[in-house]
Amino acid sequence: MKSEIEHKLLDGRGIAARMREAIAADVGLLKKGGWAPKLVSICVGDEDAAHIYVRNQRRAAEKVGMAFEPRTYPADIGAEELLGIVQGLNVDPRITGVIIQRPMPDHIQVRDIQRAVHPLKDLEGMHPSNIGDIVYNDLRMGPCTAVAAVEMLKQTPLQLEGLEVTVIGHSAIVGKPIAFLLMAEGATVNVCHHMTRNVAVHSRQADAVFVAVGKPGLVTGDMIKPGAAVIDIGINQIETPDGPKVVGDADFDSCAEVAGWITPVPGGVGPVTVATLLRNAVTAARLQQEHYEMAFSEEKPQSVR
């Protein structure tokens, strides 16, 4: 049984490693062209969860040759001051990407800060224009977690055209973008949320189930169609007799008995999300390079007739 479950695992760490190889080659080309990517991470206050994300992002960036500068501001910084800092990064050509870490203090609306980041420097794909672009299947700077989750499904032999998919969770930055991304691939998508009367009715009919709600063990094996793919995006810390443990929104053991493919937590969607952020960083640097070249190139004289 152990080898069977291992065979079903969608190894996010392995997928991310392959993505980083391609990203590192792209970074090398950007550096040769004089446009080395540099990322700035913004934290406000002393939040352990945010610092864990920063360490992971910094380590991944350094592996592909990207400069990464973490900045931490005091918890009592004013929203206007923080907006000014972001606007300064927007106009600094040395900075090619900005990451806004969450959570933030209550007096700062994180959506306001995310909207302030220029769309071409918005590595997380959280700016309204970048999220809106996925409606038109423009994925240049798509939301990292949503893009990573769909990438995990693409690692299976399942054909996305005509695939029946259930997405459990309809957040603006994960659930809804996943639905649009899948529809762009030709899948038939059903989105469940807290007002859905019977989630299991929908999930049992699906060839693939995405879950991102922040409730450990919400999806169990009896809610899964035999052979379906389970893409678990949840990250929860629970207490066990052996101490704290990180788990997803799906009950892994019971789902693995039924599913054809399943993502582990940790080691599933998370590493691919970080790799997607780095891929966005490459895209951002290229788009900015094109923008500056067009803005400051010499205009060709118009022909005289």
Side-chain angles (χ1 to χ4, degrees), residues 73-296:
Y73 297 96
D76 59 355
I77 188 173
E80 292 297 325
E81 183 178 355
L82 190 60
L83 285 170
I85 291 169
V86 170
Q87 289 164 0
L89 295 173
N90 285 341
V91 298
D92 188 342
R94 299 168 299 177
I95 308 301
T96 58
V98 179
I99 308 166
I100 306 299
Q101 304 293 346
R102 295 171 298 278
M104 285 201 165
D106 293 340
H107 69 281
I108 295 177
Q109 297 296 317
V110 67
R111 291 296 294 137
D112 291 341
I113 307 302
Q114 288 168 338
R115 289 189 186 97
V117 178
H118 193 284
L120 293 185
K121 297 193 178 187
D122 169 37
L123 303 189
E124 298 172 283
M126 298 294 193
H127 191 280
S129 70
N130 287 330
I131 291 179
D133 279 344
I134 68 173
V135 176
Y136 303 100
N137 204 27
D138 181 348
L139 308 181
R140 291 181 300 174
M141 299 284 284
C144 294
T145 303
V147 171
V150 174
E151 182 65 30
M152 298 297 281
L153 181 59
K154 290 180 178 180
Q155 300 300 311
T156 73
L158 296 173
Q159 180 70 33
L160 267 62
E161 290 185 5
L163 199 71
E164 297 281 344
V165 182
T166 291
V167 179
I168 304 174
H170 69 155
S171 71
I173 61 175
V174 181
K176 289 176 182 175
I178 286 173
F180 281 112
L181 291 169
L182 291 169
M183 285 189 288
E185 297 283 352
T188 300
V189 184
N190 195 359
V191 180
C192 299
H193 43 75
H194 66 282
M195 288 181 284
T196 301
R197 293 177 181 175
N198 193 333
V199 173
V201 168
H202 303 285
S203 62
R204 288 194 197 104
Q205 298 175 351
D207 302 310
V209 174
F210 290 75
V211 55
V213 293
K215 292 185 178 180
L218 175 68
V219 176
T220 54
D222 61 355
M223 297 170 63
I224 301 300
K225 176 181 176 180
V230 177
I231 311 299
D232 190 352
I233 308 158
I235 301 177
N236 312 284
Q237 183 168 292
I238 62 172
E239 293 296 329
T240 72
D242 298 325
K245 181 181 179 181
V246 176
V247 298
D249 289 345
D251 178 67
F252 182 84
D253 291 337
S254 64
C255 288
E257 293 289 337
V258 182
W261 302 270
I262 187 169
T263 58
V265 177
V269 176
V272 181
T273 298
V274 176
T276 302
L277 183 143
L278 298 180
R279 188 167 63 188
N280 279 358
V282 167
T283 301
R286 284 175 172 164
L287 291 173
Q288 290 166 59
Q289 182 182 29
E290 293 172 4
H291 171 78
Y292 278 99
E293 286 176 351
M294 290 179 62
F296 297 104

Side-chain angles (χ1 to χ4, degrees), residues 297-303:
S297 62
E298 295 183 2
E299 293 184 3
K300 295 181 180 180
Q302 297 182 354
S303 59

